[in-house]
């Protein structure tokens, strides 16, 4: 029962993270959007590779590997988790250094959002009202 609660909490946290990122992106002005697009064109961040990550939950931390593939701003991500097996990240997007997407965990959608900084990433997994910190490092390109 405790494991199911942890899973549901994680999935709920992922869902909230993606929702928050979507809301924040929707509130930008056209001049802000133009500045972001210009900066992205100048030096687009390439997130491809294998990333080790951990998600901090109240009960226990969850670890895994996120594989990011693709090119030219069109990326796909798969998360290999220690508790739930392999999860496809749907709607995975990278804008500048920010990323977002969602996963299905035991029938519940969880959203993930964050940003890359070189070979590091940090963000949140949002699931319902719960939000869990996620952090990681690139293992290989």
């Amino acid at each position: 029962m405790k494991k199911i609660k942890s899973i549901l909490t994680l999935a709920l946290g992922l869902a909230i993270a993606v929702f928050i990122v979507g809301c924040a992106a929707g509130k930008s002005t056209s001049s802000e959007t133009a500045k972001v697009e210009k900066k992205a064109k100048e030096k687009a961040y390439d997130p491809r590779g294998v990333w080790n990550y951990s998600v901090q939950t109240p009960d226990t931390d969850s670890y895994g590997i996120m594989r990011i593939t693709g090119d030219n701003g069109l990326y796909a991500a798969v998360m290999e988790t220690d508790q739930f097996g392999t999860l496809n990240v749907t709607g995975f997007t990278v804008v500048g250094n920010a990323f977002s997407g969602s996963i299905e965990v035991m029938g519940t959608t969880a959203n993930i959002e964050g940003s890359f900084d070189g070979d590091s990433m940090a963000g949140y997994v949002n699931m319902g009202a719960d939000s869990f910190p996620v952090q990681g490092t690139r293992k290989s390109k």
Side-chain angles (χ1 to χ4, degrees), residues 23-35:
C23 289
K27 293 182 180 179
S28 65
T29 65
S30 60
S31 65
E32 290 172 346
T33 303
K35 288 177 186 177

Side-chain angles (χ1 to χ4, degrees), residues 24-64:
K27 293 182 180 179
S28 65
T29 65
S30 60
S31 65
E32 290 172 346
T33 303
K35 288 177 186 177
V36 169
E37 289 174 355
K38 181 179 178 184
K39 189 172 183 178
K41 287 179 183 178
E42 291 173 5
K43 186 176 180 183
Y45 180 78
D46 184 357
R48 291 178 297 173
V50 177
W51 295 79
N52 290 323
Y53 73 88
S54 65
V55 178
Q56 299 171 359
T57 65
D59 298 326
T60 183
D61 290 353
S62 179
Y63 301 91

Side-chain angles (χ1 to χ4, degrees), residues 24-141:
K27 293 182 180 179
S28 65
T29 65
S30 60
S31 65
E32 290 172 346
T33 303
K35 288 177 186 177
V36 169
E37 289 174 355
K38 181 179 178 184
K39 189 172 183 178
K41 287 179 183 178
E42 291 173 5
K43 186 176 180 183
Y45 180 78
D46 184 357
R48 291 178 297 173
V50 177
W51 295 79
N52 290 323
Y53 73 88
S54 65
V55 178
Q56 299 171 359
T57 65
D59 298 326
T60 183
D61 290 353
S62 179
Y63 301 91
I65 293 172
M66 182 164 62
R67 297 179 190 278
I68 301 174
T69 58
D71 203 3
N72 296 325
L74 300 174
Y75 299 104
V78 174
M79 296 177 79
E80 297 171 9
T81 70
D82 62 339
Q83 296 179 2
F84 311 112
T86 301
L87 305 171
N88 288 320
V89 181
T90 58
F92 185 73
T93 59
V94 177
V95 177
N97 288 7
F99 66 89
S100 64
S102 61
I103 58 173
E104 288 289 323
V105 179
M106 296 183 58
T108 302
T109 300
N111 298 309
I112 185 168
E113 68 171 14
S115 62
F116 298 106
D117 185 8
D119 289 333
S120 297
M121 72 170 165
Y124 292 91
V125 172
N126 298 299
M127 189 174 214
D130 296 317
S131 183
F132 308 100
V134 60
Q135 56 188 334
T137 57
R138 187 172 357 213
K139 181 177 169 179
S140 65
K141 288 188 177 187

